[in-house]
Amino acid sequence: LALLLARARAGDAGFTLARTDLAAAAQLCQALDGLPLAIELAAARLRTLSVTELGRRLSHRFTLLRSGTRAPVSRQRTLRAVVDWSYELCTPAERSLWAALSVFAGPFDLPAAIAVAGGDDASTVDTLDQLIEQSLVEADRDSGRFHLLETVRSYGRDRAEESGDQPQLVRRHLDHYTGLAHLARTNWYGPAQRKILRGQRADRAEMDAALRTAVTVDTDRAQELFSDLRYHWGVGGFLSEGRRWGRRVLALPGGAPRVRVPALLVSAWLCVLQGALEETRAHLDDARALLPLVPEAEAALYEVELRRWNGSRALFSGEGELARDELLRSIGLARSIGHPEEAMLAQFQLTVTRTQLGLPDAATPAREALRFAESIDERWQRSLSQWAIALALYADGDLDEAERNARDALVLEEGIDDP
């Protein structure tokens, strides 16, 4: 009864339950088996129906369910009956949006809802608001995200499958999150990094669902989506998950070299971060073999990455001189093709390498990366560069300055949270 009253007041702040309605309200809750979701869905209708009218309408539905048997209605059938009843009371637009939103695996934001619904923005917003009022969609005002309870989601998917709309909805879902991943990769080096990572962490379930769709639809799309999620995997903290997806998409048949090569390079990065050095080498060898089949402009950028990750592999393998040479080649090539942002990762790693080799002025490459990162308002590489500078200073015995740089690196990491 308390839940019924609370949910009714959520839809109408002035709602009151008269003493004469208490018995009818109690009977309603009993008819709903005390199921919270069933009570919420029923309470949403108290804006237009009295408690007695609501109970009478639901009683009719349960009577139909019991026809031909004296056995009580199961709790599962009770809930299904209420969801069926709620669906029948929805307008065609509400039913359509309910089915569309059921494609989401977890919480979603308004742009995603609009993209999957495929209709007019304003009407989608209005219809979504109506579904929220009916307790069919839950809204988190703080995060600006929405979600469906599993029972409601499952029902909507059944309806979408029955109508034949499911394939189109799934494709729109894939298109939306593929677009987001591409934007995240192409806008990574700049001030948006924390926003990108926050969004991808929040959309983790949806990105996973999009990948599951992509592997059944098209090898190129699956490998490209995996590659575009590189910073989600490598910086966001999902290394093992990324490696699992890397193995899965690379095992798919076909795939153009221009999309397979970056997928191999992202997999190599994730492997080297987890110390899987032989697997790293295998991915790099495969990428190197395919480079001649990639358009020249793209191949040059992939060569930057290939040299960088081979330098990382060599560094972690104790091959300091090879690491230095590969990282220097990566830096030089990145600059020569007009992509200085792609030199920064190798520059901070070159400082680590020079520190381990005991070379003078070890911090110089990281200081160069730090200056460039500051010029484009980039945080992640600023943090890594200051960490590498701290390491070089520590090795030189300048402990106070090393500590200052290390602390500054940690401050820059806030909101990025690269493990």
Side-chain angles (χ1 to χ4, degrees), residues 320-325 328 349-365 391-393 395-396:
E321 277 140 12
L322 175 60
R324 178 196 60 201
D325 293 345
L328 281 169
Q349 290 178 304
L350 183 57
T351 281
V352 176
T353 303
R354 291 177 63 87
T355 300
Q356 290 197 0
L357 291 172
L359 299 176
D361 302 318
T364 300
L391 179 67
L393 290 167
D396 285 343

Side-chain angles (χ1 to χ4, degrees), residues 189-190 193 308 327 331 334-335 339-352 361-389 405 412:
Y189 285 110
Q193 288 173 337
R308 181 170 70 218
L327 293 170
I331 294 165
R335 288 169 170 167
H339 282 280
E341 74 284 356
E342 291 293 342
M344 291 188 292
L345 264 168
Q347 286 174 301
F348 107 81
Q349 290 178 304
L350 183 57
T351 281
V352 176
D361 302 318
T364 300
R367 291 190 191 281
E368 292 172 355
L370 178 61
R371 284 193 293 273
F372 183 76
E374 288 173 338
S375 74
I376 60 172
D377 196 18
E378 197 271 3
R379 294 178 71 94
W380 180 52
Q381 282 301 316
R382 286 166 65 192
S383 177
L384 290 175
S385 297
Q386 291 213 260
W387 169 78
I389 292 166
N405 276 272
L412 287 166

Side-chain angles (χ1 to χ4, degrees), residues 260-262 264-265 282-292 294 306:
R260 186 173 181 83
V261 168
L264 285 163
L265 293 172
H283 288 319
L284 294 175
D285 288 347
D286 288 348
R288 189 177 290 107
L290 288 172
L291 267 186
V294 175
L306 198 156

